[in-house]
Amino acid sequence: MPPALRDGVVTRLPTSSRVVALTFDGGAGSQGAATILATLRAQGVPASFFVTGKFAAANPSTTRQMAAVGPVGNHTWSHPDLTTVGSSTLQQELSFTRSAILAATGKDPRPLFRFPFGAYDSRVLGLVHAQGYGAVGWTTDSLGWKGTSGGMTVDSVVARVLAGRTPGQVVLMHVGANPDDGTTFDAAALPRIIAGYRAAGYGFTTLTVLTH
């Protein structure tokens, strides 16, 4: 296990440099993925991804494209609250997902892992570590997943992310759509978010800085 991942859940990169890590979770849907990947490629911005096994199995081409932009970590198979499941179920959630990501990308997701809902306790953190993973959370949640029905707009997503700007900030966004209103605010907000960071003299890095 890399030293940076040995303790609790990492919520900020250990740096004083003006760099941030954009991270995108893929769970149920992939509606915003093509737009997000196109923006990242066009802007030359690296990012990190966490996908469920179900996502990787259903979207192997998209998952492979993600791996060309940055690391793809393990986000469990079916996105359960791991504090509510037994150890054998947790191990299956991780191993099935690792296999699906490997099949799609040819790359091992270890040691990068993200807890569904950010929910964990000392028991499940220990089990995750035993499987060769360290856990990465986030500094700022864009809340783009809340959509119109949750009172968000593209403007509020941009403002929220940039207001949290700090060296080593880990930003959480999603590649899917809000299930109620179909919005993909994170995808729509991404070009303005990138421009906002660059205007403030920030660059972009990936979570691989934690794995050495």
Side-chain angles (χ1 to χ4, degrees):
M1 182 77 65
L5 291 168
R6 277 182 193 152
D7 298 323
V9 175
V10 176
T11 57
R12 185 177 160 270
L13 303 182
T15 181
S16 57
S17 300
R18 286 190 171 194
V19 293
V20 299
L22 302 180
T23 72
F24 297 87
D25 286 3
S30 63
Q31 298 91 331
T35 301
I36 287 166
L37 287 165
T39 298
L40 293 170
R41 285 192 294 257
Q43 295 290 331
V45 172
S48 308
F49 304 87
F50 290 93
V51 300
T52 63
K54 285 185 174 181
F55 182 98
N59 305 280
S61 175
T62 297
T63 306
R64 187 163 53 252
Q65 291 174 58
M66 289 173 171
V69 173
V72 179
N74 193 321
H75 196 38
T76 72
W77 179 263
S78 61
H79 207 272
D81 178 339
L82 290 181
T83 64
T84 67
V85 306
S87 58
S88 62
T89 299
L90 183 150
Q91 289 165 5
Q92 288 179 337
E93 287 274 337
L94 293 183
S95 64
F96 291 168
T97 303
R98 177 172 178 252
S99 295
I101 293 172
L102 268 169
T105 69
K107 298 178 181 179
D108 195 330
R110 292 188 299 189
L112 295 175
F113 174 79
R114 177 168 278 164
F115 284 103
F117 312 107
Y120 72 97
D121 55 28
S122 58
R123 177 185 72 92
V124 295
L125 184 61
L127 290 168
V128 166
H129 282 172
Q131 297 298 310
Y133 293 94
V136 182
W138 54 86
T139 318
T140 305
D141 181 346
S142 76
L143 298 185
W145 56 270
K146 286 192 169 185
T148 306
S149 52
M152 296 300 287
T153 64
V154 174
D155 287 347
S156 63
V157 169
V158 173
R160 180 178 172 83
V161 171
L162 294 178
R165 188 175 59 230
T166 189
Q169 179 191 21
V170 178
V171 180
L172 168 63
M173 291 183 277
H174 288 81
V175 302
N178 179 284
D180 298 320
D181 54 43
T183 53
T184 51
F185 284 161
D186 286 337
L190 185 57
R192 289 169 56 193
I193 288 170
I194 291 170
Y197 280 120
R198 285 181 165 156
Y202 275 72
F204 302 91
T205 189
T206 71
L207 299 180
T208 53
V209 298
L210 298 171
T211 64
H212 303 305

